[in-house]
PDB file of all heavy atoms in Angstrom:
ATOM      1  N   GLY A 284     -11.126 -13.221   0.787  1.00  0.00           N
ATOM      2  CA  GLY A 284     -10.635 -14.246  -0.133  1.00  0.00           C
ATOM      3  C   GLY A 284      -9.828 -15.306   0.588  1.00  0.00           C
ATOM      4  O   GLY A 284      -9.905 -16.506   0.259  1.00  0.00           O
ATOM      5  N   TYR A 285      -9.063 -14.897   1.590  1.00  0.00           N
ATOM      6  CA  TYR A 285      -8.240 -15.849   2.330  1.00  0.00           C
ATOM      7  C   TYR A 285      -9.056 -16.631   3.354  1.00  0.00           C
ATOM      8  O   TYR A 285      -8.703 -17.765   3.700  1.00  0.00           O
ATOM      9  CB  TYR A 285      -7.057 -15.117   2.973  1.00  0.00           C
ATOM     10  CG  TYR A 285      -5.956 -14.911   1.958  1.00  0.00           C
ATOM     11  CD1 TYR A 285      -6.071 -13.941   0.970  1.00  0.00           C
ATOM     12  CD2 TYR A 285      -4.840 -15.729   1.948  1.00  0.00           C
ATOM     13  CE1 TYR A 285      -5.091 -13.779   0.000  1.00  0.00           C
ATOM     14  CE2 TYR A 285      -3.847 -15.570   0.993  1.00  0.00           C
ATOM     15  CZ  TYR A 285      -3.984 -14.605   0.019  1.00  0.00           C
ATOM     16  OH  TYR A 285      -3.009 -14.469  -0.943  1.00  0.00           O
ATOM     17  N   THR A 286     -10.145 -16.048   3.829  1.00  0.00           N
ATOM     18  CA  THR A 286     -11.058 -16.811   4.679  1.00  0.00           C
ATOM     19  C   THR A 286     -11.643 -17.972   3.884  1.00  0.00           C
ATOM     20  O   THR A 286     -11.683 -19.111   4.360  1.00  0.00           O
ATOM     21  CB  THR A 286     -12.182 -15.905   5.207  1.00  0.00           C
ATOM     22  OG1 THR A 286     -11.609 -14.815   5.931  1.00  0.00           O
ATOM     23  CG2 THR A 286     -13.125 -16.679   6.112  1.00  0.00           C
ATOM     24  N   ILE A 287     -12.073 -17.687   2.664  1.00  0.00           N
ATOM     25  CA  ILE A 287     -12.615 -18.745   1.807  1.00  0.00           C
ATOM     26  C   ILE A 287     -11.530 -19.756   1.455  1.00  0.00           C
ATOM     27  O   ILE A 287     -11.771 -20.979   1.460  1.00  0.00           O
ATOM     28  CB  ILE A 287     -13.232 -18.137   0.532  1.00  0.00           C
ATOM     29  CG1 ILE A 287     -14.398 -17.204   0.903  1.00  0.00           C
ATOM     30  CG2 ILE A 287     -13.735 -19.243  -0.407  1.00  0.00           C
ATOM     31  CD1 ILE A 287     -14.953 -16.408  -0.261  1.00  0.00           C
ATOM     32  N   ALA A 288     -10.325 -19.284   1.174  1.00  0.00           N
ATOM     33  CA  ALA A 288      -9.229 -20.202   0.851  1.00  0.00           C
ATOM     34  C   ALA A 288      -8.935 -21.142   2.014  1.00  0.00           C
ATOM     35  O   ALA A 288      -8.673 -22.340   1.814  1.00  0.00           O
ATOM     36  CB  ALA A 288      -7.976 -19.407   0.490  1.00  0.00           C
ATOM     37  N   GLY A 289      -8.971 -20.629   3.252  1.00  0.00           N
ATOM     38  CA  GLY A 289      -8.764 -21.483   4.418  1.00  0.00           C
ATOM     39  C   GLY A 289      -9.813 -22.575   4.521  1.00  0.00           C
ATOM     40  O   GLY A 289      -9.501 -23.723   4.870  1.00  0.00           O
ATOM     41  N   LEU A 290     -11.057 -22.232   4.194  1.00  0.00           N
ATOM     42  CA  LEU A 290     -12.132 -23.230   4.219  1.00  0.00           C
ATOM     43  C   LEU A 290     -11.971 -24.253   3.099  1.00  0.00           C
ATOM     44  O   LEU A 290     -12.304 -25.432   3.280  1.00  0.00           O
ATOM     45  CB  LEU A 290     -13.486 -22.525   4.111  1.00  0.00           C
ATOM     46  CG  LEU A 290     -13.878 -21.689   5.335  1.00  0.00           C
ATOM     47  CD1 LEU A 290     -15.121 -20.850   5.032  1.00  0.00           C
ATOM     48  CD2 LEU A 290     -14.132 -22.585   6.547  1.00  0.00           C
ATOM     49  N   ILE A 291     -11.448 -23.839   1.961  1.00  0.00           N
ATOM     50  CA  ILE A 291     -11.179 -24.791   0.876  1.00  0.00           C
ATOM     51  C   ILE A 291     -10.085 -25.767   1.293  1.00  0.00           C
ATOM     52  O   ILE A 291     -10.177 -26.976   1.021  1.00  0.00           O
ATOM     53  CB  ILE A 291     -10.807 -24.046  -0.421  1.00  0.00           C
ATOM     54  CG1 ILE A 291     -12.026 -23.305  -0.968  1.00  0.00           C
ATOM     55  CG2 ILE A 291     -10.261 -25.027  -1.468  1.00  0.00           C
ATOM     56  CD1 ILE A 291     -11.727 -22.425  -2.171  1.00  0.00           C
ATOM     57  N   VAL A 292      -9.053 -25.266   1.982  1.00  0.00           N
ATOM     58  CA  VAL A 292      -8.010 -26.157   2.502  1.00  0.00           C
ATOM     59  C   VAL A 292      -8.627 -27.223   3.395  1.00  0.00           C
ATOM     60  O   VAL A 292      -8.299 -28.423   3.292  1.00  0.00           O
ATOM     61  CB  VAL A 292      -6.941 -25.348   3.270  1.00  0.00           C
ATOM     62  CG1 VAL A 292      -6.023 -26.277   4.061  1.00  0.00           C
ATOM     63  CG2 VAL A 292      -6.125 -24.479   2.313  1.00  0.00           C
ATOM     64  N   GLU A 293      -9.524 -26.822   4.271  1.00  0.00           N
ATOM     65  CA  GLU A 293     -10.168 -27.787   5.161  1.00  0.00           C
ATOM     66  C   GLU A 293     -11.031 -28.778   4.380  1.00  0.00           C
ATOM     67  O   GLU A 293     -11.061 -29.979   4.710  1.00  0.00           O
ATOM     68  CB  GLU A 293     -11.009 -27.052   6.197  1.00  0.00           C
ATOM     69  CG  GLU A 293     -10.170 -26.219   7.158  1.00  0.00           C
ATOM     70  CD  GLU A 293     -10.941 -25.729   8.365  1.00  0.00           C
ATOM     71  OE1 GLU A 293     -12.188 -25.563   8.256  1.00  0.00           O
ATOM     72  OE2 GLU A 293     -10.308 -25.503   9.415  1.00  0.00           O
ATOM     73  N   ARG A 294     -11.728 -28.303   3.353  1.00  0.00           N
ATOM     74  CA  ARG A 294     -12.607 -29.187   2.586  1.00  0.00           C
ATOM     75  C   ARG A 294     -11.819 -30.251   1.829  1.00  0.00           C
ATOM     76  O   ARG A 294     -12.196 -31.436   1.834  1.00  0.00           O
ATOM     77  CB  ARG A 294     -13.449 -28.333   1.622  1.00  0.00           C
ATOM     78  CG  ARG A 294     -14.398 -29.113   0.709  1.00  0.00           C
ATOM     79  CD  ARG A 294     -15.433 -29.939   1.485  1.00  0.00           C
ATOM     80  NE  ARG A 294     -16.188 -29.159   2.440  1.00  0.00           N
ATOM     81  CZ  ARG A 294     -17.306 -28.463   2.174  1.00  0.00           C
ATOM     82  NH1 ARG A 294     -17.787 -28.457   0.941  1.00  0.00           N
ATOM     83  NH2 ARG A 294     -17.930 -27.813   3.130  1.00  0.00           N
ATOM     84  N   VAL A 295     -10.720 -29.873   1.193  1.00  0.00           N
ATOM     85  CA  VAL A 295     -10.014 -30.845   0.356  1.00  0.00           C
ATOM     86  C   VAL A 295      -9.125 -31.779   1.173  1.00  0.00           C
ATOM     87  O   VAL A 295      -8.815 -32.890   0.719  1.00  0.00           O
ATOM     88  CB  VAL A 295      -9.177 -30.157  -0.739  1.00  0.00           C
ATOM     89  CG1 VAL A 295     -10.057 -29.298  -1.626  1.00  0.00           C
ATOM     90  CG2 VAL A 295      -8.033 -29.350  -0.156  1.00  0.00           C
ATOM     91  N   THR A 296      -8.730 -31.366   2.374  1.00  0.00           N
ATOM     92  CA  THR A 296      -7.853 -32.220   3.184  1.00  0.00           C
ATOM     93  C   THR A 296      -8.608 -32.995   4.261  1.00  0.00           C
ATOM     94  O   THR A 296      -8.094 -34.003   4.760  1.00  0.00           O
ATOM     95  CB  THR A 296      -6.770 -31.382   3.889  1.00  0.00           C
ATOM     96  OG1 THR A 296      -7.387 -30.483   4.820  1.00  0.00           O
ATOM     97  CG2 THR A 296      -5.937 -30.611   2.873  1.00  0.00           C
ATOM     98  N   GLY A 297      -9.791 -32.512   4.642  1.00  0.00           N
ATOM     99  CA  GLY A 297     -10.528 -33.143   5.725  1.00  0.00           C
ATOM    100  C   GLY A 297      -9.916 -32.860   7.087  1.00  0.00           C
ATOM    101  O   GLY A 297     -10.270 -33.503   8.080  1.00  0.00           O
ATOM    102  N   GLU A 298      -8.985 -31.905   7.151  1.00  0.00           N
ATOM    103  CA  GLU A 298      -8.331 -31.536   8.408  1.00  0.00           C
ATOM    104  C   GLU A 298      -8.421 -30.024   8.605  1.00  0.00           C
ATOM    105  O   GLU A 298      -8.718 -29.284   7.671  1.00  0.00           O
ATOM    106  CB  GLU A 298      -6.868 -31.976   8.402  1.00  0.00           C
ATOM    107  CG  GLU A 298      -6.701 -33.485   8.320  1.00  0.00           C
ATOM    108  CD  GLU A 298      -5.241 -33.904   8.227  1.00  0.00           C
ATOM    109  OE1 GLU A 298      -4.458 -33.165   7.594  1.00  0.00           O
ATOM    110  OE2 GLU A 298      -4.896 -34.959   8.763  1.00  0.00           O
ATOM    111  N   SER A 299      -8.146 -29.579   9.810  1.00  0.00           N
ATOM    112  CA  SER A 299      -8.261 -28.159  10.089  1.00  0.00           C
ATOM    113  C   SER A 299      -7.194 -27.360   9.349  1.00  0.00           C
ATOM    114  O   SER A 299      -6.102 -27.868   9.054  1.00  0.00           O
ATOM    115  CB  SER A 299      -8.153 -27.901  11.591  1.00  0.00           C
ATOM    116  OG  SER A 299      -6.815 -28.085  12.041  1.00  0.00           O
ATOM    117  N   TYR A 300      -7.518 -26.126   9.067  1.00  0.00           N
ATOM    118  CA  TYR A 300      -6.553 -25.205   8.472  1.00  0.00           C
ATOM    119  C   TYR A 300      -5.305 -25.115   9.343  1.00  0.00           C
ATOM    120  O   TYR A 300      -4.175 -25.146   8.837  1.00  0.00           O
ATOM    121  CB  TYR A 300      -7.212 -23.828   8.315  1.00  0.00           C
ATOM    122  CG  TYR A 300      -6.243 -22.694   8.154  1.00  0.00           C
ATOM    123  CD1 TYR A 300      -5.640 -22.447   6.926  1.00  0.00           C
ATOM    124  CD2 TYR A 300      -5.924 -21.868   9.234  1.00  0.00           C
ATOM    125  CE1 TYR A 300      -4.732 -21.405   6.775  1.00  0.00           C
ATOM    126  CE2 TYR A 300      -5.022 -20.830   9.089  1.00  0.00           C
ATOM    127  CZ  TYR A 300      -4.425 -20.601   7.868  1.00  0.00           C
ATOM    128  OH  TYR A 300      -3.532 -19.575   7.724  1.00  0.00           O
ATOM    129  N   GLU A 301      -5.490 -25.016  10.655  1.00  0.00           N
ATOM    130  CA  GLU A 301      -4.367 -24.912  11.586  1.00  0.00           C
ATOM    131  C   GLU A 301      -3.440 -26.112  11.484  1.00  0.00           C
ATOM    132  O   GLU A 301      -2.211 -25.972  11.498  1.00  0.00           O
ATOM    133  CB  GLU A 301      -4.881 -24.756  13.010  1.00  0.00           C
ATOM    134  CG  GLU A 301      -5.561 -23.432  13.312  1.00  0.00           C
ATOM    135  CD  GLU A 301      -7.018 -23.373  12.873  1.00  0.00           C
ATOM    136  OE1 GLU A 301      -7.531 -24.383  12.315  1.00  0.00           O
ATOM    137  OE2 GLU A 301      -7.663 -22.330  13.074  1.00  0.00           O
TER     138      GLU A 301
END
Side-chain angles (χ1 to χ4, degrees):
Y285 279 75
T286 302
I287 298 172
L290 291 171
I291 291 174
V292 168
E293 294 193 333
R294 178 60 54 86
V295 301
T296 64
E298 297 176 325
S299 72
Y300 161 79
E301 291 82 0

